[in-house]
Amino acid sequence: MNSILLYYWANVLKAIMLLLSLLLLLRGHNEPGGGFVGGLVVATAFILHALAQNVSAARRAVPVSPESLIAGGLGVALASGVAGVLDGRPFLTGVWRTIEAPLLGPVTLGTPLLFDVGVYLVVAGVVLKIAFAMLECDHAD
Amino acid sequence: MSWIVILAPFAGALLVPFVARSLGRALGLVCAFAPAVVFAYLFRTLLDLHALGGHSPARLGIIPWAPSLGLDLTFRLDGLGIAFGLLISGIGVLICLYASAYFRGDPRRGRFMAYLLFFMGAMLGVVLADNVFVLFVFWELTSIASYLLIGFEHDQEKSRSAALQALLTTGAGGLAMLAGLVLLGNAAGSYDLTVIIATPGLAEHPHYLAILLLILAGAATKSAQFPFHYWLPNAMAAPTPASAYLHSSTMVKGGVYLLARLSPALGGTELWFWSLAGLGGATMLAAGWLALRQTALKPMLAYSTVVALGTLVLCIGLGTPLSITAFKVFLFVHAFYKAALFMVAGSIIHETHETDFERLGGLGRLMPATAIGGLLAALSMAGLPPLLGFVGKESVYEAVLYAPLAVQVFVGVAVFANVANVYVAAAAGVLPFWRRRSAAVSGAVHEAPMGMWIGPVVLGGLGLAAGLYPFIFGKVLLAPGGGAVLGEGLEFKLKLWHGVNSAFLLSMLTLGIGLAAILARARWRRFAGLFGWLDRAGPEAAYRGALEGMLATARAQTAFLQHGYLRYYLLAVLVCVIAAVAGASQLEIRPLAFELVGIRFHEIITVVLVAVAALGTTRVDSRFGALACLGVVGYGIALLYVFYGAPDLAKTQIVVESLTVVFFALLAAAMPGFRVLSAPRVRRRDAMIAALAGGLMGVLVYSTLAVTQAQPVAQFYRENSYPLAHGRNVVNVILVDFRALDTLGEITVLAVAAFGAHALLRLRNLRRHRA
């Protein structure tokens, strides 16, 4: 689509959506949000990019390939489960540690967040992979 | 944390592909490090075991996996497991060196080494696992690893079908075995092998017959017993380092291991005796016959492996102290010579590109180190003193001579099997080196690299050393394991020479016939060729028939069900769901008591809007119009979520709805416009089904409100979400903590679906380009 307005606002919106997705991901454990919806928002942002410009531009804008996102996400989710095992408890048991972060004070971090990051990456990767493939289809009939 | 040692090969398999290219020649040494660590660790444990008098095996690494199911990752180190573990890791070291040299300069080298290490880890898991389910998981991992290895040359049809054959055969057996293990665990009241072995009276259990037959099915397919022997020689499609490993110390010995492991629990009955001894004997006969007809090096060795596996099963089945001694000795004897001979055969083929032993000759001078390793291994295989093979063969003869029942039958079978061994040994390890050079061997042939001859020389040397000092060998390596098989202490007093007795006379007889057969081999093969029709009617034909039948059924039902019309799929699914749900729940249609009090105006507006939009979907005559209507429905429902306090759902619904619109729009743009709208009759039918489906959902939702549970599950999550999982958002806590395993499964499905969709779209593009 050739539209200067869309081109401009898509970029602005994309940045906002990416930030929003991170916010959704991080607050998901206590407030509405989470990895699934966060991942969907990421994918939507890049699909918008693809519609405003073209698929190859959108592909370039994603730092890694959708396949890597999927693989990485599954890996992160699995790894978060292994943490419980290394702690001597069943696979996927949440492990929580409180650390002193500079500026923020004590922050409690747990493997469920890591697991959610995995979901986030997989969902984003899956939707992007399908969307890009569809957009790249020949539409000639 | 010593269990980490057991998993070292897996760690290696994960790392190797990344470092293979930069390591170059050192790759073999680096890969060999993982099994070497395991070997050292197991050897130390063995010495500890001796210090304890051979009792009280070490149990280690009790990692809870799914404790509520009684499923823990436990490992057990006793004499039997250690003996197998030492073989796997020890020969694994040599195979790593060999494979790295064999694949020098091949870009797939890293991948091959990774598969090999993966295989090694899985196999170690099998022999050291204490929980039967853990054992089963590793058992199946060995099947997967062997699939990858056998099908390594995946651009060749032969490799692919051989890999599939091995996977299907051992996989089917594995499933039967799983059922057997579950029954066994129930009968013994525990899924831990330690407890199962110590449980008395299992043979009187009403499920004994089923347990034995099911487990036997697993063991027989894995260890290529008759009539499942066909997959093993086909597995020769694997690159030689893999076959050398597969045949000598891994996978195929898994079944033998399992039978030995369970013999204290299940053995000692007449049924055990006849089924195992019968199975082993039949395997020895069938495979011996097939081995004697071969001229190609690798298939010949492969069939002789099947002979050896039959011998091992026979020994376990006999169940006497003598036969268990023979089992343990022959296990090592065979592993030593078979690994060595396979490596030698691989080196020969690597250097000369010739696979037929009749066309080889004079290699002794050209490849001296390989020749020495091959000669030592062959002499051991033929059972000549003073090699360990002689001790092994004598023990097998003694075991069958003093068998409790049917001595004549088993003695005859054992003689036949050993004749086949003598024949194969001479053909594979002696003739190619020590006779006149043949025309097929050019002068350009030279010695294989050191990594490739070090294995045969070491293993051949070990066979010689152990044969010269059998007493030490038996005391250190075999004694603790024998007890584990027989259920009581077993003395190992191995001797090289024990006078001229019946076993020795049988040895002489075997050697005589074997040498005669090798000298008159041309005439013998002409005679054997008369029985070629046996191959076409054999078990492999049955396998092929079963596979083809299954594929034909699959094709037929696919043609019937997968007709390719999306709307009929939807129709079928909806009708089935309506029928199933309505039938199963037998809905009581209660008088619906609406409370109109408290319903607010904006809610009514939204509901009406959704209903109108839903109706509109069916009225418009363009795809984009329908899409817009559907969008209104979706966003309206998201609004309802907002009104009723489910922000999480609302958020997800909005994003999903937007994406659905985008996806639909993309697809609709690619499709031609409607040419014909569906006929009124069709529309009426669709409307009816849609109304039924929607009505059913409505009634279901409404009737769930009427159900009162004693302890609503929501209560649990609301109360425990924060204290247990540190999260106030219950929905998210359920997704990432309470039911994280489900979520993990779901994202895996998503990932698979994405690749599937990608493949379909690509296919569509390809077709279009071709058209």
Side-chain angles (χ1 to χ4, degrees):
Chain A
M1 265 172 261
N2 280 326
S3 155
I4 298 288
L5 271 181
L6 184 65
Y7 185 95
Y8 176 75
W9 283 108
N11 265 334
V12 176
L13 267 176
K14 193 183 82 183
I16 296 175
M17 285 166 89
L18 289 181
L19 271 177
L20 175 74
S21 82
L22 274 182
L23 192 67
L24 282 172
L25 168 70
L26 290 178
R27 74 202 280 265
H29 210 52
N30 290 315
E31 309 286 334
F36 186 79
V37 69
L40 287 178
V41 172
V42 173
T44 318
F46 285 107
I47 291 173
L48 188 65
H49 190 121
L51 290 176
Q53 299 180 35
N54 55 49
V55 186
S56 41
R59 271 195 197 276
R60 277 195 304 276
V62 193
V64 290
S65 69
E67 293 83 8
S68 312
L69 278 178
I70 297 175
L74 283 176
V76 169
L78 269 180
S80 80
V82 175
V85 176
L86 293 181
D87 212 38
R89 280 179 297 156
F91 181 59
L92 282 172
T93 310
V95 179
W96 293 84
R97 294 276 182 274
T98 304
I99 49 165
E100 273 310 313
L103 299 176
L104 295 172
V107 176
T108 309
L109 286 176
T111 52
L113 177 66
L114 201 59
F115 185 81
D116 228 7
V117 171
V119 175
Y120 175 86
L121 294 175
V122 172
V123 170
V126 166
V127 178
L128 281 179
K129 186 167 173 62
I130 300 180
F132 285 165
M134 275 186 177
L135 285 164
E136 275 165 357
C137 250
D138 304 345
H139 289 177
D141 270 288
Chain B
M1 297 290 257
S2 40
W3 54 271
I4 283 189
V5 175
I6 298 168
L7 302 178
F10 286 118
L14 283 178
L15 291 178
V16 159
F18 299 102
V19 297
R21 201 149 298 172
S22 50
L23 277 177
R25 293 196 162 209
L27 179 67
L29 283 175
V30 173
C31 288
F33 183 70
V37 168
V38 177
F39 185 85
Y41 171 73
L42 289 176
F43 200 76
R44 219 207 59 195
T45 319
L46 185 71
L47 296 182
D48 290 352
L49 214 57
H50 273 290
L52 293 168
H55 303 297
S56 64
R59 253 168 85 91
L60 24 110
I62 302 168
I63 313 156
W65 181 1
S68 46
L69 300 174
L71 186 53
D72 300 315
L73 270 175
T74 47
F75 296 99
R76 167 195 157 97
L77 292 177
D78 68 349
L80 184 67
I82 292 178
F84 274 92
L86 285 174
L87 277 181
I88 295 164
S89 53
I91 293 185
V93 170
L94 299 173
I95 294 284
C96 279
L97 298 175
Y98 184 84
S100 157
Y102 186 90
F103 274 103
R104 178 162 300 160
D106 192 318
R108 303 168 302 173
R109 194 162 76 135
R111 188 149 55 91
F112 184 81
M113 299 308 282
Y115 291 166
L116 203 62
L117 286 171
F118 172 42
F119 195 9
M120 202 177 287
M123 205 54 216
L124 278 170
V126 168
V127 299
L128 298 177
D130 193 34
N131 185 292
V132 292
F133 297 118
V134 176
L135 184 145
F136 175 76
V137 169
F138 281 113
W139 181 280
E140 294 296 300
L141 283 183
T142 63
S143 288
I144 294 170
S146 74
Y147 177 75
L148 294 172
L149 282 172
I150 297 171
F152 190 73
E153 311 273 353
H154 54 75
D155 48 348
Q156 285 171 27
E157 168 63 28
K158 202 174 127 232
S159 297
R160 290 201 305 270
S161 73
L164 185 67
Q165 190 182 45
L167 185 71
L168 286 179
T169 307
T170 59
L175 287 180
M177 183 187 84
L178 177 63
L181 289 175
V182 171
L183 284 180
L184 178 66
N186 288 345
S190 165
Y191 293 111
D192 282 341
L193 281 170
T194 310
V195 182
I196 292 174
I197 294 165
T199 308
L202 279 176
E204 278 84 52
H205 196 273
H207 290 154
Y208 176 70
L209 179 67
I211 294 173
L212 181 58
L213 290 182
L214 287 169
I215 290 182
L216 208 52
T221 49
K222 197 67 144 188
S223 280
Q225 298 295 300
F226 182 83
F228 306 110
H229 59 273
Y230 52 81
W231 70 263
L232 190 55
N234 291 340
M236 291 296 93
T240 307
S243 7
Y245 197 41
L246 186 80
H247 281 249
S248 58
S249 51
T250 53
M251 180 125 153
V252 297
K253 295 244 165 100
V256 173
Y257 162 79
L258 187 71
L259 293 175
R261 168 61 82 209
L262 291 176
S263 86
L266 300 173
T269 62
E270 222 157 88
L271 181 67
W272 173 269
F273 175 87
W274 283 113
S275 53
L276 262 72
L279 193 67
T283 308
M284 288 158 85
L285 286 179
W289 162 257
L290 290 164
L292 284 170
R293 296 179 43 198
Q294 295 295 326
T295 58
L297 284 174
K298 282 176 73 179
M300 188 170 201
L301 288 170
Y303 281 117
S304 84
T305 300
V306 183
V307 174
L309 293 168
T311 311
L312 291 170
V313 172
L314 172 70
C315 286
I316 300 171
L318 296 180
T320 59
L322 272 178
S323 80
I324 299 304
T325 310
F327 162 72
K328 286 299 296 284
V329 181
F330 193 63
L331 178 72
F332 279 87
V333 169
H334 174 253
F336 286 174
Y337 75 66
K338 191 50 64 67
L341 281 178
F342 257 116
M343 290 194 237
V344 166
S347 301
I348 293 177
I349 299 169
H350 200 258
E351 296 300 321
T352 63
H353 303 289
E354 180 56 59
T355 58
D356 192 327
F357 82 88
E358 295 285 18
R359 294 160 60 88
L360 290 164
L363 291 173
R365 205 162 297 163
L366 300 170
M367 307 169 72
T370 310
I372 288 173
L375 183 68
L376 285 172
L379 293 181
S380 186
M381 182 176 183
L384 287 172
L387 288 113
L388 188 62
F390 177 72
V391 183
K393 188 175 54 167
E394 299 289 286
S395 345
V396 172
Y397 277 148
E398 281 189 5
V400 292
L401 279 170
Y402 299 104
L405 299 155
V407 177
Q408 297 85 350
V409 178
F410 292 128
V411 170
V413 170
V415 169
F416 178 70
N418 276 314
V419 167
N421 275 347
V422 173
Y423 182 90
V424 172
V430 180
L431 290 182
F433 297 104
W434 313 103
R435 68 170 161 191
R436 253 184 311 121
R437 192 193 292 187
S438 60
V441 178
S442 71
V445 172
H446 50 78
E447 183 58 278
M450 179 173 165
M452 288 175 72
W453 58 255
I454 190 91
V457 168
V458 167
L459 289 170
L462 273 177
L464 181 64
L468 287 172
Y469 301 99
F471 182 75
I472 300 174
F473 171 74
K475 185 145 180 48
V476 175
L477 270 180
L478 307 186
V485 182
L486 207 61
E488 60 202 49
L490 189 62
E491 289 289 306
F492 272 86
K493 293 201 173 120
L494 297 182
K495 280 186 288 188
L496 185 61
W497 178 250
H498 34 141
V500 179
N501 53 13
S502 5
F504 182 73
L505 291 177
L506 279 179
S507 279
M508 292 297 106
L509 177 71
T510 316
L511 209 57
I513 306 178
L515 288 180
I518 196 82
L519 291 176
R521 60 187 182 275
R523 200 169 303 163
W524 151 251
R525 271 200 298 272
R526 258 202 311 281
F527 166 74
L530 296 176
F531 297 89
W533 52 271
L534 270 175
D535 303 348
R536 287 187 291 280
E540 191 172 7
Y543 163 83
R544 240 177 285 127
L547 189 64
E548 268 159 29
M550 195 177 77
L551 290 178
T553 316
R555 268 193 298 272
Q557 70 96 13
T558 308
F560 179 68
L561 290 173
Q562 314 270 82
H563 35 59
Y565 291 98
L566 186 61
R567 62 202 118 159
Y568 294 131
Y569 285 156
L570 277 177
L571 268 185
V573 169
L574 284 178
V575 168
C576 288
V577 166
I578 294 168
V581 174
S585 59
Q586 302 198 331
L587 289 170
E588 296 173 46
I589 309 288
R590 292 178 205 173
L592 302 180
F594 275 116
E595 291 218 13
L596 285 172
V597 193
I599 294 187
R600 288 162 295 177
F601 182 65
H602 57 263
E603 290 166 11
I604 297 174
I605 294 283
T606 316
V607 170
V608 170
L609 199 64
V610 167
V612 169
L615 263 180
T617 316
T618 64
R619 304 298 306 166
V620 295
D621 49 9
S622 81
R623 283 204 182 84
F624 282 102
L627 196 56
C629 288
L630 269 186
V632 172
V633 173
Y635 288 120
I637 288 175
L639 257 183
L640 286 179
Y641 287 145
V642 174
F643 296 156
Y644 286 94
D648 241 330
L649 278 181
K651 224 174 243 177
T652 312
Q653 170 79 14
I654 288 173
V655 183
V656 168
E657 199 54 47
S658 315
L659 279 173
T660 314
V661 171
V662 170
F663 277 149
F664 263 129
L666 287 176
L667 278 182
M671 281 195 278
F674 289 126
R675 293 213 181 92
V676 212
L677 291 172
S678 32
R681 202 167 53 85
V682 177
R683 284 196 165 207
R684 270 199 296 280
R685 180 198 64 193
D686 291 351
M688 209 172 68
I689 290 171
L692 268 177
L696 181 78
M697 283 318 290
V699 173
L700 274 182
V701 170
Y702 184 76
S703 48
T704 49
L705 290 177
V707 178
T708 41
Q709 266 182 304
Q711 184 80 53
V713 69
Q715 193 77 19
F716 168 83
Y717 288 126
R718 217 175 295 140
E719 277 165 12
N720 288 301
S721 153
Y722 198 70
L724 287 184
H726 305 270
R728 278 187 296 274
N729 178 359
V730 181
V731 178
N732 187 269
V733 167
I734 292 176
L735 282 177
V736 300
D737 197 302
F738 287 125
R739 308 218 62 90
L741 193 62
D742 294 358
T743 311
L744 189 63
E746 279 155 22
I747 56 176
T748 313
V749 170
L750 268 186
V752 174
F755 285 97
H758 181 79
L760 282 176
L761 288 165
R762 255 180 65 94
L763 190 69
R764 183 170 170 277
N765 267 3
L766 276 181
R767 280 211 190 119
R768 193 159 297 192
H769 283 303
R770 224 173 271 156

